[in-house]
Structures are given as structure tokens and as C-alpha cells.
Amino acid sequence: MEQEPLIPLQGWRRKLYIIIFEADTRAGRNFDIMLLLIIVASVLSVMLESVASIREHYGPQLQLLDVAFALFFTVEYILRLVCVHKPMRYAKSFFGVIDLLAVLPFYIGLFIPGSHFLADIRILRLLRLFRILKLTHYIGEAQQLKRALIASQRKITIFLATVIMLVIILGTLMYLIEGPENGFNSIPHSIYWAIVTLTTVGFGDITPKTPPGQALASVAMIMGYGIIAVPTGIVSAEIAKGGASPQPEVRSGTRLCPHCFSEGHDWDARYCKYCGGRLPRPARGTVS
Amino acid sequence: MEQEPLIPLQGWRRKLYIIIFEADTRAGRNFDIMLLLIIVASVLSVMLESVASIREHYGPQLQLLDVAFALFFTVEYILRLVCVHKPMRYAKSFFGVIDLLAVLPFYIGLFIPGSHFLADIRILRLLRLFRILKLTHYIGEAQQLKRALIASQRKITIFLATVIMLVIILGTLMYLIEGPENGFNSIPHSIYWAIVTLTTVGFGDITPKTPPGQALASVAMIMGYGIIAVPTGIVSAEIAKGGASPQPEVRSGTRLCPHCFSEGHDWDARYCKYCGGRLPRPARGTVS
Amino acid sequence: MEQEPLIPLQGWRRKLYIIIFEADTRAGRNFDIMLLLIIVASVLSVMLESVASIREHYGPQLQLLDVAFALFFTVEYILRLVCVHKPMRYAKSFFGVIDLLAVLPFYIGLFIPGSHFLADIRILRLLRLFRILKLTHYIGEAQQLKRALIASQRKITIFLATVIMLVIILGTLMYLIEGPENGFNSIPHSIYWAIVTLTTVGFGDITPKTPPGQALASVAMIMGYGIIAVPTGIVSAEIAKGGASPQPEVRSGTRLCPHCFSEGHDWDARYCKYCGGRLPRPARGTVS
Amino acid sequence: MEQEPLIPLQGWRRKLYIIIFEADTRAGRNFDIMLLLIIVASVLSVMLESVASIREHYGPQLQLLDVAFALFFTVEYILRLVCVHKPMRYAKSFFGVIDLLAVLPFYIGLFIPGSHFLADIRILRLLRLFRILKLTHYIGEAQQLKRALIASQRKITIFLATVIMLVIILGTLMYLIEGPENGFNSIPHSIYWAIVTLTTVGFGDITPKTPPGQALASVAMIMGYGIIAVPTGIVSAEIAKGGASPQPEVRSGTRLCPHCFSEGHDWDARYCKYCGGRLPRPARGTVS
């Protein structure tokens, strides 16, 4: 819906648009697969460059690759801007921002050494794949997960607020009980320990040494045990609910209103809900 | 409900009450937002004071802030006592106790050094926010979570009793198998290890060194794996039960078709999907 | 049901039985509460004795207490044997075995030093409390949890079998990749590491040092992440199912068949399912 | 189903087939039980050989056992190939591949030292047990778990893709914040840390040392806390859906009242609870 008005109506810009933004033509599909490979290669190259022993041997080659990838993504970004009708709308869209983030770290890295490693944020560009390769089923499922998370948003906010208050109080108590001599250097540091403990991560870089500290930690861990049940319960219940009515939009299928070309009609609708026109009867077997 | 009879009927005490306790007027709302900021600032100040490097440089300033915050909360507490009709009832209420706890640590800290750090228990005062800022939706959800926890209270008690017996027996066995020479200094210390292990926290400050100890630990960990499923299952089931009711109306609203009296129209529908008749426009603000 | 035929019909043994085994009379209740306190005290005494610093100062006193508790439990065990009609049936019952286990460690400790610490297995005697103090609601809930676990027994067996095969293969691979020089001393030791990792305990006493080892560990951890979902899912589903039909035995209520005095009739039964006699109509409100 | 056409129709190969592949005859069952014991023994022998102290004392004996087991499994594999009608079809089947994997490591170990430890992949042969010993109930449950996992395959893929993007970005940020001087040697190493942290394993071999690093780690851990809820929710919902059907018949059996044709009688009912008529006796073995 949001993408259509972006398409230029004719000329080379339209051809470019179809190759770069869509995947229905042979050229478009090839471009997308090439893009996918280049993204993965550029992320791997950034990762390898960060390994000291590899950097020693292949440093210059990897830096050359870095420049090449950055130039490619820059050109691609400019082409994307050029071939759409309303460049600003693309630039401000979700994928437009990610495309920009894929090139920025390289140029920032010219001034601030090290920050070019951030270039592997390019991995986020793979998100576009879901849309490009028409993995509609996956989009449906992702939408369902998203809905489940949004539906339980308030419960999760309450849960997080409770956890934050809990770790502040727990951290303060442990700081007073154990103190800097046992590694609990400050209240923020103790709060970090409380989070490590309540989430059951348990690095073990700071641990209670005194019996009262260990007793309080024991109580905290058993509480954490119970607390871990809450978000799981929330999300389980939401997914179970969502899964019970098998994905409405999939169910409503692909019927187009022949009068106003709107989509998304319920499977039991007889009239278009947007223009009031008579809808065609659903084809047999559409509701699976 | 419980708060109403506390309100004095007239005079400056009534005005003060409305500012301090309520948030419907402009003055009341401003007071609450100011209070929120002061609470957060005072908690941050206590946290920063506990960091040795910051204390060295800004110790006197932070102590001054501490005194200022303590005085502010003391005056506020006294005003709250003064402006309600039945001060004792307020003082003994849940929020009354928390308001007192917010000022006590400072005065105790005058006699027992270090205990003034407990002042960051003030963070609990943020709980009042939920009530004050009319976050009724959140209260509803919190109630639901609370109900789910209360409904599964007995199951959780049984679960906790089982876990406690388990860690006592496991701790004793590990103390006998590994002994003080491998870090299992005493039975309480071993029980602490058993809790760290069964809750999957796994600090690693104490670990089994002997093969029989590692074998027993392996069994305990796999058991812990199964045990972690129980509270999650309990809470999931409760939330799923409770969560079944309150969603639907958010989804499709309450619009009736004036022509065929059918319900369940989407919020963006303009025509009835059953008879094709024009639907009334949705009331403002119904879709939040 | 199983306890009745144990009661002697008359004399001092019957009186003793009512005091020791039951909790309906004042004397019986007092005895049970005293027993509860002595059990907790004896477990605490064993725990404290294991702490080196306490043993140094109060060793003789704690050993004296130990002897006193052991004598008390021995006398109690003998009295229980004496006052029931069929001592062997009691001795072989679940609680009979636990009562014996509560006294044995002391006598074994006379020959094998250290084993008297096992005396804190006495904590299991608290299980009797649930029955004694008529905490029938808790028994109902415990039964429900038990049923949920039994119903998912086969799924859990399959799950455990899968986990065991997985940790053996994972442990072997890590042993070959990392080897004894990185702390993976042997295959059993590597399997111990695999269990510590898959259960998300993560002590950190052994960790992969080589890049291939860390890569394999990463895959294992993400798998463990998915695997932890399985038992939780199994138990959640069972509890949700059990919780939906609110505890059949509570529902079937307390109707006695007036012809054969059998219990446990469904709430919708009109005839006794054991003797075919007409049942009384259920009292209003029995089905809550 | 797939196995039938493999059976030779007559002669000694048919007899061998029935002994080796089936478990219905006395000889077949004895062979399977012997095979089970030899598999377990050979896996234990491989494990023990990897323990340095045992290898020192019993090295030659264990190596002899190794050779014996390898020869036995080789002969068995050849016999399996010989006695089926279409050897290639068996060799390419799931269990055919596992049977080959059970003998290969020994022969590879003759050339590459150490790789014979992989022989404990033989443990996978136990999977055949489920089929052989007619544990149909277990197969049913395993199928159900498998279906639940397959049904949630797409959701799990989306989840994994999200986690992988997250750990790459998190690892890069931590590498930039903490750097090699705090143990975050390279981006792949930091990604390993991110996986250890998000999965709540928390080895503690690498931990953030700087305050910004600890702050980011805290956010990551609380996110991990929420993320762990997602796969559990997915699998719970699937199992709950799948698990709804197959329980009831176990509960109340299939007895019809011959008088009023009502169903749902308890297994221990002797009279119809709806009409009071005599019920037929339950068939033997229906209640398992």
C-alpha cells in the first residue's frame, strides 16, 4: 500500500525501480540474491577484520574489501533515492533508514577510528528479504508474534517496572550487606549483579561471600525462579489465543472488492466494508 | 474508595489535599510530576554517592542534596499527615508506610553510618504513579496478573515447599560427597550452591570437583530443568484462563448495524458486511 | 482408607494411636505441633554442626542435642510401631520408611563418621504435616500437579532420552575439539559440561577456549534455548487442561451412597455406580 | 510400512531378517536385548577410555574391547545388508546410516588418532529400540511433540533469525565498548559472549568490566528474559492445541450402558449412573 505511489510511472527510473525494489522479474530477483550475498560477505569481512590474528595477515586486503563494500552500498543507496518518485518518503521509511545505517559507519570510521566495525549493522538489511522473496507465510507468522507481543505490552511494562524496582532494592541491600570488600563496589554495580542473578544468567564475576549475603541471594534466586514464569505465561497465553483463531487475515484470504479494489475482507463478508458493493463469493477451499 | 473519607470537607486542608493527593487539577498534576522527578533525582543521587570515584569528587555536594531531599520528603510527609482527616489511617495505609520508609533511612543514617543508602527505597513511591496518573488500563492488567498469582498461590506454595526440601537434601549430599576441601564448606553453604544450581543461575563460585559430585550435580541440573517448567506452567495456565475475556471489545468495537442489527464490524468498516447498509461513524476515542 | 484397619480397636494403644497418628483431638494436635518444632530444630542443629566455626565453639552441645533428638525420634518410631495393629504394614508404608530414615543416620554415624549429617533427611517428615493438619485443599492441588506430571510422563521420558543422547554426542565432540589441554579432561567430564550448558546453568568452571569449540557451544546454547521450551510447554499444556475442568473430585463433592456408603460419585450421577441404588439429590450450591 | 518390501520371501535370509530386524519371535527379542546391552557397553567403554587415569591402568583391555565391539557391529552391519532384499535401500535409510556411523569411527580411528572416540555416536542406535520394542504409545507421543515442533517451525525460524541479528549487533557494540583489553577479543568472540548471555547460560569466562558495558549487558539480559518467553510460548501453545484430543478415552473407557446407551462411565462403575442398569464388565486390559 505505502510503496505504490513511490513508483515512477515510466522511463529508466521505472525500470531501475523494478530491478532494485521488486523481485517479480528475472533481473529483480537476480539483483536481490546478489544483494543478499554481498550483505552477508560484508558482515563476515567486518567480523574477520576484528580478529587480531587475521588482521595481522590480511589487514590491507580486508580494508580494501571494506572500501569496496561501502562504495557499493553507497551507490545502491543513491540509486534507490534516484529511482523513487518521492526520495524523502523512502529515506524516512523503515528500510530507508536501515539502508542509510548500512553506509554511515564507514564514513564515520574515517574520522573516528574503530567505529567502522558498526558496519555489520548491515545484517539488518536481511529483514528486507522477508518482504522481497515473498515469504508471505513468514510475514503472517511474524505479524502474529508481533500482535502477541503488542497485546501483552501492558503486562510486560508492569512486569519490567516491578523487576526494575526489585533490582534497585536488592542491589542496595546487597551493597550494604556485602560491601566493596566483597566486590559489590557501588549500588549501580550491585544492581548489575542483581540483574545478572534475577535473570538466571549468573556470570559469577561478583558473588556474595558472607552468609547473610548468600541467604539474601538465595531468596532472590528463588524469587527469580518464580518471576521468570510471568513473561513466559503472558506470551504463552497470547500466542495460544492468537493460534486458536487461525490467523484472521490469512483466513480472510485474497478476495478483492471488484468495486473499490480493497483487500482484507472477512471470509463471511457478503458486502465490501469500505464501499458497500457486493463481494464475489469466496472460492471453495480458500478457507483452509 | 478507601481514600474518600480521608478528605477534609473544607478550608485550606481540603485545598492541600487536592494538590498533594489528587491529580485532577492543574496544581495537583504539576505537584505529582514534580514529585516524580524529585523521587527519581533522589534515587539517582543515592546511587551516585555509592560510587567511590564520584564520592571522592562530589561527596559534599551529594551529601547536601541528600539533606535537601530528606527535608523535602519530611515536609511532604508532615503535610500529608496534616491535610487528611484521619492521619493515623493514612499513616497505616500501604502508601503511608512507603512514604514513611522514604524519609526514615536518612534519620537512621545519622546514627548508623551507611544505612542512609537505604533511602533509595524511595523508588517504591513510583507505585503511586500508577494510581495518580489514572493509568487505569495498567491497573486492570496488574490486577489480572495479581489474580493469576493469587489463584496459583497454593500450587506455588507446594512447589516452593518441594524445592526447599530438595535443596536441603541435595545440599547435604553434596557436602558429604565434595566436602570442605572442594569449597562445600558447610551444609548451609551447600544448600546455597544447590539453590544457585537448581534455579539455573550457576555463578560458578563453588563447583563440584569429584566425579561423583559432578554426576549428582548433573542429575540435579536435569531435574532443575524439569522443575523450572512447573511454575511457568502454573502461571501460564492461570493467565490463559484470566486472559480469555477482556480482549474482544478492543478488537471490533461495539457498533451495531442500524439496518440488520448485526455486530462485530471492524473499526475501519464504513458499510455493514452482512447487509451492505451504511454504518454509523465510530465514536471518537473508542479506538485507543 | 488405607490407615483405618491399622487402628487398634481399644485400650491404651488406641489412645496412643489417636495422639500420635491423628490430629483431631487436642492432645493429638499438640503432639503434632511439638513434633513439627522438634523436626525443624533437629534439622537446624545438624546444619549448624556442619559449619566449622560454630562446631569449634558449640561442638559438644550440638552433639548432645543430636543424641537427644535421635533418642526422641527412636522412641517415637517404636511407639508408632507398638500402637498400630499391623506394625509391618506401617513400617513398609511411605511415611513408615521416612520415619525410619529419620533415625537411621544417627546409628550409622556411630560407625561411619560424617554420615550422621544425613539426619537432616528428617525434613521429609514435614510432608506428613500436609496430611495431619487437614490441609485438604493443598492435597487437592498437589494431586493435580502430580496428575499433570504423570499425564506428561511419556513426553518427559522422550524428552529426557533426547537430551541424554544429545549431551553424549555434544560431550564427545567437545572433548575431541577442545581436549584435556582446555579443561575437557574426558568424555564424562565433557558430558558434565554439556549438561551444565544445555540446562543454561553455566558454572563456567570449564569453558571452550578455541574458536571451533566456541562455535559449537554457541549452537548448543541456542539449541538449549529451544529445548528448554519443550518441558515447559508440556507441563503448561497439562496444567491448563487440568485447570479447565476444576478438579473433578472437588466437584463430585461429598455425596455418600446411602446403600453401600461409597463416595466419589459424579455431580450428575443419579444412581450409585457401585451398587445401583438411587442417590440423594445433590444439595444446592455443592457444585461451586 | 517402508520396511516390508525389504523382507526376502524365503530361506535363511528370511530367518536372519526376522531375528535381526524384528522383535516378535523369541530369538528376535533376545537378539534385540543383547544388541541393546552391547550398544550401552560399547558406549561406556569408549567413555571410560577417555578418562586418563582409567586409560593408564586398563588401556590395553579397553582397546581390545573396542576392537571386539567394532568387529561385532561390522559383522552385524554386513548381515543386515545381506539379509534384506534391497541392501541399498536399507543402507540409505535413516537407521541404515546410523548403523554405518556406529562402525565408521573405528576404521577412521586407525588413520586419524583420537577419532575413534566418535564411536559413542552408537548411542543413537538406541532410537531403534523405540520401534523394536513396540513402544507404540511412546511413538505416538513423540509424533505429537514432532508435530508441535513442525507446526511452530516458521515461528521458530523467525525467532532464530531475530536472535542471530540481535547477537551480531550486541556483540559488535560490546566489542567497541569493552574491547580486547577486557576480554572481548574480536567480534566473533563478542558474539559468543552475547549468545552465552542472551541464553542465560552465563559462563562468566568473559564479563563486561566497564560501567557502560555493564549497562548494555543489563539491558541485554532483561531483553533475554523476555525473549526466552517467546519459544516457550510458541511450543506451549502448539502442545496445548495438539494435546486437547487424545486423553479422554483413557479416562472413562468406551463402555456403553446396554440399557440407556449412555457413555462416559468410570472404569470402576458396576451400574449405569444415569439409569441404574447393570453395566457389562470392562474388557481385560482396557485400563492400562
Side-chain angles (χ1 to χ4, degrees):
Chain A
M1 208 70 178
E2 72 213 63
Q3 219 68 21
E4 271 92 330
L6 289 171
I7 318 175
L9 291 175
Q10 50 200 357
W12 60 272
R13 283 171 65 201
R14 186 178 164 80
K15 278 182 193 150
L16 202 60
Y17 181 92
I18 288 169
I19 292 173
I20 298 186
F21 277 94
E22 296 189 354
D24 292 329
T25 60
R26 197 187 182 84
R29 208 176 167 78
N30 286 345
F31 177 81
D32 289 333
I33 288 166
M34 187 196 67
L35 190 62
L36 160 66
L37 295 175
I38 290 176
I39 291 169
V40 171
S42 80
V43 169
L44 285 178
S45 140
V46 168
M47 281 188 193
L48 290 176
E49 205 188 327
S50 75
V51 182
S53 62
I54 294 175
R55 195 170 48 232
E56 268 169 39
H57 290 81
Y58 305 100
Q61 290 92 320
L62 286 168
Q63 272 161 22
L64 209 72
L65 262 178
D66 244 32
V67 176
F69 286 130
L71 286 181
F72 173 84
F73 287 121
T74 309
V75 170
E76 188 218 337
Y77 183 68
I78 291 168
L79 284 181
R80 278 183 192 268
L81 279 176
V82 164
C83 78
V84 295
H85 216 229
K86 305 192 168 178
M88 276 318 289
R89 237 176 92 183
Y90 157 70
K92 283 193 271 180
S93 73
F94 178 67
F95 285 112
V97 170
I98 286 179
D99 292 348
L100 184 60
L101 285 177
V103 293
L104 269 191
F106 175 77
Y107 298 103
I108 296 174
L110 296 179
F111 303 99
I112 306 169
S115 65
H116 71 283
F117 285 123
L118 278 172
D120 65 4
I121 210 168
R122 280 166 196 161
I123 196 76
L124 285 179
R125 294 200 63 187
L126 294 185
L127 283 175
R128 191 188 285 265
L129 264 180
F130 284 114
R131 265 200 49 250
I132 277 178
L133 300 177
K134 308 279 170 210
L135 301 171
T136 40
H137 278 303
Y138 282 87
I139 294 176
E141 300 272 351
Q143 294 284 348
Q144 200 184 327
L145 279 180
K146 212 171 136 191
R147 264 206 311 279
L149 285 175
I150 288 171
S152 40
Q153 198 181 9
R154 277 192 211 132
K155 282 204 193 73
I156 289 172
T157 307
I158 293 168
F159 172 74
L160 281 181
T162 313
V163 167
I164 288 168
M165 289 187 188
L166 211 63
V167 294
I168 289 177
I169 292 170
L170 190 61
T172 306
L173 289 175
M174 288 304 281
Y175 172 69
L176 290 176
I177 292 173
E178 293 279 330
E181 64 274 20
N182 289 322
F184 291 77
N185 298 318
S186 65
I187 292 181
H189 202 211
S190 288
I191 290 173
Y192 161 74
W193 173 86
I195 293 172
V196 167
T197 303
L198 270 191
T199 55
T200 78
V201 171
F203 284 133
D205 49 350
I206 326 165
T207 52
K209 302 287 186 307
T210 64
Q214 293 177 343
L216 183 59
S218 298
V219 172
M221 284 180 276
I222 288 180
M223 271 169 61
Y225 213 66
I227 285 172
I228 216 171
V230 173
T232 309
I234 294 168
V235 177
S236 292
E238 279 310 324
I239 293 178
K241 240 191 285 176
S245 60
Q247 297 117 301
E249 60 276 61
V250 171
R251 215 179 175 184
S252 64
T254 53
R255 277 196 296 167
L256 270 179
C257 169
H259 310 291
C260 69
F261 301 99
S262 62
E263 278 187 310
H265 302 289
D266 293 335
W267 63 272
D268 59 347
R270 284 199 293 271
Y271 291 91
C272 171
K273 61 183 179 180
Y274 297 109
C275 75
R278 181 97 202 172
L279 288 175
R281 300 186 61 185
R284 290 182 184 220
T286 37
V287 184
S288 58
Chain B
M1 211 68 177
E2 71 213 63
Q3 221 69 21
E4 271 90 329
L6 289 171
I7 318 174
L9 291 175
Q10 50 200 357
W12 61 272
R13 283 172 65 200
R14 185 177 165 82
K15 277 181 194 152
L16 201 61
Y17 181 92
I18 288 169
I19 293 173
I20 297 186
F21 278 94
E22 296 190 352
D24 293 328
T25 60
R26 198 186 181 84
R29 206 174 169 81
N30 287 345
F31 177 82
D32 289 331
I33 288 166
M34 186 196 68
L35 190 62
L36 160 66
L37 295 175
I38 291 176
I39 291 169
V40 171
S42 80
V43 169
L44 285 178
S45 140
V46 168
M47 281 188 193
L48 290 176
E49 204 189 328
S50 76
V51 183
S53 62
I54 294 175
R55 194 169 47 231
E56 268 169 39
H57 290 81
Y58 305 100
Q61 291 92 320
L62 285 168
Q63 272 162 21
L64 210 71
L65 263 179
D66 244 32
V67 175
F69 286 131
L71 285 181
F72 173 84
F73 287 120
T74 309
V75 169
E76 189 218 336
Y77 183 68
I78 291 167
L79 284 180
R80 280 182 191 268
L81 278 177
V82 164
C83 78
V84 295
H85 216 228
K86 303 191 168 177
M88 275 318 287
R89 239 176 90 183
Y90 158 69
K92 284 193 272 181
S93 73
F94 177 67
F95 285 112
V97 170
I98 287 179
D99 292 348
L100 183 61
L101 285 176
V103 293
L104 270 190
F106 175 77
Y107 297 104
I108 296 172
L110 296 178
F111 303 99
I112 307 168
S115 65
H116 71 283
F117 285 123
L118 278 172
D120 66 4
I121 210 168
R122 281 167 195 160
I123 196 76
L124 286 179
R125 293 200 63 188
L126 294 185
L127 284 175
R128 191 189 284 265
L129 263 181
F130 284 112
R131 266 200 48 250
I132 277 178
L133 300 177
K134 308 280 172 209
L135 301 171
T136 40
H137 279 303
Y138 284 86
I139 294 176
E141 300 273 351
Q143 294 285 346
Q144 201 184 327
L145 278 180
K146 212 170 135 191
R147 264 204 312 277
L149 286 175
I150 287 171
S152 41
Q153 196 181 12
R154 275 191 211 134
K155 282 204 192 73
I156 289 172
T157 307
I158 292 167
F159 172 75
L160 281 181
T162 312
V163 167
I164 288 169
M165 287 187 188
L166 212 63
V167 295
I168 289 177
I169 292 170
L170 191 62
T172 306
L173 289 174
M174 288 303 282
Y175 172 69
L176 290 176
I177 293 173
E178 293 279 330
E181 63 275 19
N182 290 321
F184 291 77
N185 298 319
S186 65
I187 292 180
H189 203 211
S190 288
I191 289 173
Y192 161 74
W193 173 87
I195 293 172
V196 167
T197 302
L198 270 191
T199 55
T200 79
V201 172
F203 283 134
D205 49 349
I206 327 167
T207 52
K209 302 286 187 306
T210 64
Q214 293 177 343
L216 182 59
S218 297
V219 172
M221 284 180 277
I222 289 180
M223 272 169 60
Y225 213 65
I227 285 172
I228 216 171
V230 173
T232 310
I234 294 168
V235 177
S236 291
E238 279 310 325
I239 292 176
K241 241 190 287 177
S245 44
Q247 272 341 70
E249 59 270 53
V250 172
R251 240 178 178 169
S252 59
T254 53
R255 279 194 296 166
L256 269 180
C257 169
H259 309 291
C260 70
F261 301 102
S262 61
E263 277 186 313
H265 302 288
D266 294 6
W267 63 271
D268 59 346
R270 285 198 293 270
Y271 290 90
C272 171
K273 60 183 178 180
Y274 298 109
C275 75
R278 182 97 201 169
L279 288 175
R281 300 187 60 185
R284 289 180 184 224
T286 37
V287 184
S288 59
Chain C
M1 209 71 176
E2 68 211 68
Q3 220 68 20
E4 272 91 332
L6 289 171
I7 318 174
L9 291 177
Q10 51 200 357
W12 61 272
R13 284 170 65 200
R14 184 177 165 81
K15 278 182 193 152
L16 201 60
Y17 180 93
I18 288 169
I19 293 174
I20 298 186
F21 278 94
E22 297 190 352
D24 294 328
T25 60
R26 196 187 182 84
R29 208 175 167 80
N30 287 345
F31 176 82
D32 289 331
I33 288 167
M34 185 196 69
L35 191 61
L36 158 67
L37 296 175
I38 290 176
I39 291 169
V40 170
S42 80
V43 169
L44 285 179
S45 139
V46 168
M47 281 188 192
L48 290 177
E49 204 189 327
S50 76
V51 182
S53 61
I54 294 175
R55 195 169 47 231
E56 266 169 39
H57 289 82
Y58 305 99
Q61 290 92 321
L62 285 169
Q63 273 161 23
L64 209 70
L65 261 179
D66 244 33
V67 175
F69 285 131
L71 285 181
F72 173 84
F73 287 120
T74 309
V75 169
E76 189 218 337
Y77 183 68
I78 291 168
L79 283 181
R80 278 181 192 268
L81 279 176
V82 164
C83 78
V84 294
H85 216 228
K86 303 189 170 178
M88 275 318 288
R89 237 176 93 184
Y90 157 69
K92 284 193 270 180
S93 73
F94 177 67
F95 285 113
V97 169
I98 287 179
D99 292 349
L100 183 60
L101 285 176
V103 293
L104 269 191
F106 175 77
Y107 297 104
I108 297 173
L110 297 179
F111 303 99
I112 307 169
S115 65
H116 71 283
F117 285 122
L118 279 172
D120 65 4
I121 210 169
R122 279 167 196 161
I123 197 76
L124 286 179
R125 293 200 63 187
L126 294 185
L127 285 175
R128 192 188 285 265
L129 264 181
F130 283 114
R131 266 200 47 249
I132 277 178
L133 299 177
K134 310 277 172 210
L135 301 171
T136 40
H137 279 302
Y138 282 87
I139 293 177
E141 300 272 351
Q143 294 284 347
Q144 202 184 325
L145 279 180
K146 212 171 137 192
R147 265 205 311 276
L149 286 175
I150 287 171
S152 41
Q153 196 182 11
R154 277 191 210 134
K155 283 204 192 73
I156 289 173
T157 307
I158 292 167
F159 172 75
L160 281 181
T162 313
V163 167
I164 288 169
M165 287 186 188
L166 211 63
V167 294
I168 289 176
I169 292 170
L170 190 61
T172 305
L173 290 174
M174 289 303 282
Y175 172 69
L176 290 176
I177 293 173
E178 293 279 329
E181 62 276 19
N182 289 322
F184 291 77
N185 298 319
S186 65
I187 292 181
H189 203 210
S190 287
I191 290 173
Y192 162 74
W193 173 86
I195 293 172
V196 167
T197 303
L198 270 191
T199 55
T200 78
V201 172
F203 284 133
D205 49 349
I206 327 167
T207 52
K209 302 287 187 305
T210 65
Q214 292 177 344
L216 182 59
S218 297
V219 172
M221 282 180 279
I222 289 181
M223 271 168 62
Y225 213 65
I227 285 173
I228 216 170
V230 174
T232 309
I234 294 168
V235 176
S236 292
E238 279 310 324
I239 292 177
K241 237 190 287 177
S245 59
Q247 298 116 299
E249 60 274 60
V250 171
R251 215 179 175 184
S252 64
T254 53
R255 277 197 296 167
L256 268 180
C257 170
H259 309 293
C260 69
F261 300 101
S262 61
E263 277 186 311
H265 302 289
D266 293 335
W267 64 272
D268 59 347
R270 285 199 293 271
Y271 291 91
C272 171
K273 60 183 178 177
Y274 298 110
C275 73
R278 182 97 202 172
L279 288 175
R281 301 186 61 186
R284 291 182 181 219
T286 38
V287 186
S288 59
Chain D
M1 209 69 177
E2 71 213 63
Q3 220 69 22
E4 270 93 331
L6 290 171
I7 317 173
L9 290 175
Q10 50 201 356
W12 60 271
R13 283 172 63 200
R14 185 178 165 80
K15 276 183 194 152
L16 200 60
Y17 181 92
I18 287 170
I19 292 173
I20 298 186
F21 278 93
E22 296 190 352
D24 293 328
T25 59
R26 197 187 182 83
R29 208 175 168 81
N30 286 346
F31 177 82
D32 289 332
I33 289 166
M34 186 195 68
L35 191 61
L36 159 67
L37 294 175
I38 290 175
I39 291 169
V40 171
S42 80
V43 169
L44 285 179
S45 140
V46 168
M47 282 189 192
L48 291 177
E49 205 188 328
S50 76
V51 182
S53 61
I54 294 176
R55 195 169 48 231
E56 265 169 41
H57 290 82
Y58 305 100
Q61 291 92 321
L62 285 169
Q63 273 162 22
L64 210 71
L65 261 179
D66 244 31
V67 174
F69 285 131
L71 285 181
F72 173 83
F73 287 121
T74 309
V75 170
E76 189 218 337
Y77 183 68
I78 292 168
L79 284 181
R80 279 182 192 267
L81 279 176
V82 164
C83 77
V84 294
H85 216 227
K86 305 190 168 180
M88 275 319 289
R89 240 177 89 183
Y90 157 68
K92 284 193 273 180
S93 73
F94 177 67
F95 284 113
V97 169
I98 286 179
D99 291 348
L100 184 60
L101 284 177
V103 293
L104 270 191
F106 175 77
Y107 298 104
I108 297 174
L110 297 179
F111 304 98
I112 307 168
S115 65
H116 71 283
F117 285 123
L118 278 172
D120 65 4
I121 210 169
R122 280 167 196 160
I123 196 76
L124 285 180
R125 293 200 64 187
L126 294 186
L127 283 176
R128 191 188 285 267
L129 263 181
F130 283 113
R131 266 200 49 249
I132 276 178
L133 300 178
K134 308 279 172 209
L135 301 171
T136 41
H137 278 304
Y138 283 87
I139 293 177
E141 299 273 351
Q143 295 285 346
Q144 201 184 326
L145 279 180
K146 213 170 137 191
R147 264 203 314 277
L149 286 175
I150 287 171
S152 41
Q153 196 181 12
R154 277 192 211 132
K155 283 203 192 73
I156 290 173
T157 307
I158 293 167
F159 172 75
L160 281 181
T162 313
V163 167
I164 288 169
M165 288 187 188
L166 210 62
V167 294
I168 289 177
I169 293 171
L170 190 62
T172 306
L173 290 174
M174 289 303 282
Y175 171 69
L176 290 176
I177 293 174
E178 293 279 331
E181 63 275 19
N182 290 321
F184 291 77
N185 298 319
S186 64
I187 292 181
H189 203 210
S190 288
I191 290 172
Y192 161 73
W193 173 86
I195 292 173
V196 167
T197 302
L198 270 191
T199 54
T200 78
V201 172
F203 284 134
D205 48 351
I206 326 167
T207 53
K209 302 287 188 305
T210 66
Q214 293 177 343
L216 182 59
S218 297
V219 173
M221 283 181 278
I222 289 181
M223 272 168 60
Y225 213 66
I227 285 173
I228 216 171
V230 174
T232 309
I234 294 168
V235 176
S236 292
E238 280 310 324
I239 292 177
K241 241 190 287 177
S245 45
Q247 273 340 71
E249 58 271 53
V250 171
R251 239 178 178 169
S252 58
T254 53
R255 279 195 297 167
L256 270 179
C257 169
H259 309 293
C260 69
F261 301 102
S262 60
E263 276 187 314
H265 303 290
D266 294 4
W267 63 272
D268 59 346
R270 285 199 293 270
Y271 289 91
C272 171
K273 61 185 177 178
Y274 298 109
C275 75
R278 182 98 202 172
L279 288 175
R281 301 186 61 183
R284 289 179 183 223
T286 37
V287 184
S288 60

